[in-house]
Amino acid sequence: MRDPRYNKGLAFTEKERDAHYLRGLLPPVVLSQELQEKKMMNLIRQYEVPLHRYIAMIGLQETNERLFYKLLIDNVEELLPVVYTPTVGEACQKYGSIFKHSQGLYISLKEKGKILETLKNWPERTVQVIVVTDGERILGLGDLGCQGMGIPVGKLALYTALGGVRPSLCLPITIDVGTNNEKLLNDEFYIGLRQKRATGKQEYDELLQEFMYAVKQNYGEKVLIQVIISSSSFYAFAVLSLHAASSEQAKPDFQFEDFANHNAFELLARYSSSHLVFNDDIQGTAAVVLAGLLSALRLLGGTLADHTFLFLGAGEAGTGIADLIALEISEQNGKPIKENRKNIWLVDSKGLIVSSRKESLQDFKKPWAHEHEPITGLINAVKAIKPTILIGTSGVGKQFTKEIVEDMASFNKTPLIMALSNPTSQAECTAEEAYTWSEGRAIFASGSPFDPFEYEGKTFVPGQANNAYIFPGFGLGVIMAGSIRVHNGMLLAASKALASQVTEEHYEKGMIYPPLTNIRKISANIAAEVAAKAYELGLASHLPQPEDLVESAEKCMYSPVYRSYL
């Protein structure tokens, strides 16, 4: 009863109570799991403050694991914003104040030199997915230090609920090297080291290196350890080419969550040759956006190569997703990526990125410097380039003005507008603005959720480029195949699998993503395609390949239904 993995609360039957000496320790009533679920949802809905709902859900996770996941799976659209973004951001800010039970592993500078010993303290001997953060850049909220643990905990809850990865195989980790957040350092309830954030080779780099190799040593060569890296207020995308070598043994897949960008990309590049590294907030979200583009082609017509793309934002975000688009076009037409970049344009704070600016550009922007006269301002770039697809990764709200949207609608029968910056207040435009200013002709998707909008008698359902569509199924596919590397081909396979789940019924509502209510089915199909690509590329270590990968994915998914203890 005190172990959340086995506890069923009032659902223990009369025979179970006798067999396990529970008689008298519970009220006499026996309730079904369905009735418990109804009762818990009624309770959660009484809380008007999202953080109170979060605390209630975490409390349930800490006492009755299966009921927690049953609620999350059955009410995914309602509870996803509660257990993860946006509510998890506030939870991280107040993590010390609401902290009751430890849900993960904390590795601080105090553990330097004994990280392997610390890992062995985790009670589970078998781990397949690790999500780790150093808390430096949490969802655009800045440096939250040790309190960033809410991100790995929330992310892994989605791996289980949406992707079916067994919770006992998941390990959330926070690496605490201090914080530069003065408010937290002066907070009497702060749970981390009270010191400035450590940087540099001797402290930070050596601790990370010890951690990476201790994980591999403790959990073996085939464990899937995903380490996610996030960005600030908008999605950061970057596609780092992780080349596969089929002759090598399986390596752990590390996912870095919410590390600052200056650490994120360096860590991916450093460990991709020795570890199985996957970055959800970079690669996963890019795959989600590409899926939306592939899906939208059914409404736009033509292929990706037939369209002209204009990005507002040329940081890791814009350049990363642009790279994945160019890679997919190359897969389709067989031409070099360099040539397929020509119809993809980017605008930064100084204007359109063109060849005359090349000497002053950062290295990651230089491949996107095309021949064109210099242009300042997004509106002027839109008028000159006449894109069919406008994508915002700027992190600055209200940049897609009425004039810009009207221009997009003037030279496109069906313009595609993707306002990806988060949170909602930072979206480049709202769904209502996109639909109204385009007279109901735009296809709209965003990073944050928007409610359906009715325009002239027709209801439009905005798409949300939520990386929860991709990473649970992607992770399950990697685990199924026992993949030894993450390959760009696997990202493209995940994008195509997601796009294929959009039906004609969805298209009639202007949707380019399927509803999250079908996420377990979607994840199974994504897992199957990712695993299939791993087998095709010679990266899979779980042999032989199952005949029906979708069926195999569904069978290995965790079920939250109560078990009998007789």
Side-chain angles (χ1 to χ4, degrees):
M1 288 172 57
R2 294 182 179 178
D3 189 327
R5 191 178 310 172
Y6 302 106
N7 183 29
K8 298 200 296 185
L10 293 176
F12 284 108
T13 66
E14 296 285 352
K15 291 182 178 179
E16 286 174 332
R17 297 181 190 202
D18 287 334
H20 298 286
Y21 308 100
L22 303 180
R23 178 69 63 181
L25 302 182
L26 290 164
V29 70
V30 176
L31 298 181
S32 67
Q33 188 178 23
E34 289 70 26
L35 195 55
Q36 286 181 313
E37 181 181 1
K38 179 180 179 181
K39 175 184 175 183
M40 193 65 197
M41 284 305 301
N42 286 340
L43 176 63
I44 289 172
R45 286 166 179 157
Q46 290 179 26
Y47 295 116
E48 295 183 1
V49 179
L51 183 62
H52 294 167
R53 294 187 174 194
Y54 175 89
I55 293 171
M57 285 296 292
I58 293 300
L60 181 62
Q61 186 181 23
E62 293 170 346
T63 55
N64 188 329
E65 187 175 87
R66 286 181 177 265
L67 185 57
F68 168 82
Y69 285 111
K70 188 77 164 58
L71 252 69
L72 188 49
I73 291 169
D74 293 346
N75 305 274
V76 62
E77 290 188 313
E78 182 175 353
L79 295 180
L80 184 60
V82 174
V83 300
Y84 202 57
T85 56
T87 310
V88 72
E90 183 182 1
C92 287
Q93 289 177 306
K94 301 175 181 178
Y95 210 76
S97 298
I98 65 176
F99 181 88
K100 293 182 180 179
H101 303 284
S102 181
Q103 287 188 288
L105 197 65
Y106 295 85
I107 296 175
S108 73
L109 290 171
K110 294 180 179 180
E111 282 68 59
K112 188 176 181 182
K114 48 186 178 181
I115 292 179
L116 179 60
E117 178 184 338
T118 304
L119 288 174
K120 291 181 182 293
N121 290 338
W122 185 251
E124 299 295 340
R125 299 276 70 87
T126 302
V127 171
Q128 288 188 319
V129 181
I130 290 177
V131 176
V132 59
T133 182
D134 73 349
E136 187 173 2
R137 209 169 187 178
I138 299 293
L139 301 175
L141 301 173
D143 187 348
L144 298 185
C146 194
Q147 297 192 166
M149 179 58 92
I151 297 295
V153 169
K155 183 74 72 174
L156 286 169
L158 302 190
Y159 269 102
T160 296
L162 312 187
V165 179
R166 191 168 297 278
S168 62
L169 302 177
C170 299
L171 172 55
I173 295 179
T174 290
I175 295 178
D176 185 1
V177 294
T179 179
N180 293 329
N181 188 322
E182 290 291 340
K183 184 177 180 181
L184 290 179
L185 291 175
N186 295 321
D187 184 350
E188 62 179 328
F189 299 129
Y190 180 57
I191 60 175
L193 294 176
R194 293 182 184 274
Q195 66 174 62
K196 291 290 185 179
R197 179 170 291 275
T199 59
K201 179 176 176 55
Q202 187 168 2
E203 290 185 295
Y204 188 90
D205 290 359
E206 289 181 1
L207 185 73
L208 261 292
Q209 184 172 347
E210 181 186 351
F211 166 74
M212 295 292 281
Y213 287 96
V215 167
K216 191 197 311 187
Q217 184 177 349
N218 194 51
Y219 295 113
E221 293 290 335
K222 292 185 179 180
V223 62
L224 171 66
I225 310 163
Q226 300 190 340
V227 196
I228 309 175
I229 311 163
S230 186
S231 72
S232 55
S233 60
F234 60 92
Y235 287 133
F237 310 94
V239 181
L240 297 181
S241 202
L242 305 180
H243 298 291
S246 58
S247 60
E248 295 187 26
Q249 291 182 314
K251 301 296 193 300
D253 176 12
F254 291 87
Q255 183 171 324
F256 295 91
E257 175 70 37
D258 290 310
F259 284 71
N261 287 347
H262 64 88
N263 289 324
F265 303 107
E266 180 184 345
L267 289 169
L268 270 179
R270 182 188 308 168
Y271 292 110
S272 62
S273 61
S274 60
H275 297 77
L276 181 59
V277 183
F278 171 66
N279 179 312
D280 171 53
D281 287 310
I282 293 174
Q283 295 161 296
T285 311
V288 168
V289 176
L290 177 59
L293 295 173
L294 293 172
S295 170
L297 291 177
R298 295 269 293 276
L299 297 172
L300 298 175
T303 66
L304 288 178
D306 298 323
H307 290 275
T308 302
F309 302 82
L310 181 63
F311 284 80
L312 174 63
E316 291 88 350
T319 57
I321 190 172
D323 266 326
L324 198 60
I325 294 170
L327 179 62
E328 172 59 21
I329 295 174
S330 293
E331 290 281 318
Q332 293 178 6
N333 63 18
K335 296 180 181 179
I337 290 179
K338 183 177 181 180
E339 184 173 343
N340 287 322
R341 289 191 177 115
K342 292 180 179 178
N343 285 339
I344 304 174
W345 299 81
L346 289 85
V347 172
D348 64 9
S349 60
K350 294 179 174 62
L352 192 67
I353 294 180
V354 294
S355 55
S356 62
R357 295 179 51 197
K358 205 163 189 177
E359 292 302 317
S360 63
L361 292 172
Q362 295 165 283
D363 287 342
F364 62 86
K365 293 183 182 181
K366 289 181 179 179
W368 306 101
H370 304 323
E371 288 293 335
H372 199 285
E373 62 180 351
I375 294 177
T376 58
L378 178 62
I379 181 61
N380 295 323
V382 169
K383 292 179 183 297
I385 302 301
K386 290 183 169 51
T388 55
I389 297 171
L390 182 63
I391 300 176
T393 60
S394 62
V396 182
K398 305 300 180 183
Q399 296 300 298
F400 294 170
T401 63
K402 181 179 181 181
E403 184 180 1
I404 287 173
V405 174
E406 287 178 344
D407 277 350
M408 287 290 295
S410 70
F411 46 76
N412 291 297
K413 180 182 178 181
T414 309
L416 173 56
I417 298 172
M418 303 186 82
L420 300 178
S421 294
N422 287 320
T424 306
S425 60
Q426 299 305 108
E428 284 78 9
C429 70
T430 67
E432 178 179 350
E433 289 168 343
Y435 294 130
T436 303
W437 293 339
S438 68
E439 297 179 339
R441 290 190 285 116
I443 302 168
F444 178 80
S446 57
S448 297
F450 283 97
D451 291 332
F453 177 72
E454 184 175 332
Y455 180 80
E456 293 188 353
K458 183 176 180 180
T459 299
F460 296 90
V461 180
Q464 186 190 1
N466 191 329
N467 56 359
Y469 278 114
I470 288 283
F471 72 79
F474 189 92
L476 180 63
V478 172
I479 293 172
M480 283 172 54
S483 181
I484 61 174
R485 287 289 186 277
V486 171
H487 188 281
N488 282 332
M490 296 158 67
L491 295 173
L492 298 180
S495 295
K496 293 170 187 174
L498 175 56
S500 70
Q501 299 299 302
V502 184
T503 67
E504 290 299 329
E505 181 183 353
H506 302 145
Y507 286 126
E508 290 176 3
K509 299 176 182 178
M511 300 169 64
I512 57 174
Y513 292 101
L516 277 167
T517 49
N518 299 327
I519 188 61
R520 298 268 283 195
K521 177 185 175 183
I522 294 167
S523 293
N525 281 275
I526 291 174
E529 292 301 320
V530 169
K533 181 58 69 171
Y535 282 108
E536 177 188 327
L537 295 170
L539 303 178
S541 62
H542 292 165
L543 302 173
Q545 177 179 341
E547 290 185 9
D548 189 331
L549 286 168
V550 175
E551 182 181 2
S552 180
E554 291 174 341
K555 283 184 177 179
C556 72
M557 279 184 162
Y558 167 79
S559 171
V561 176
Y562 285 153
R563 294 171 293 177
S564 172
Y565 297 129
L566 293 176

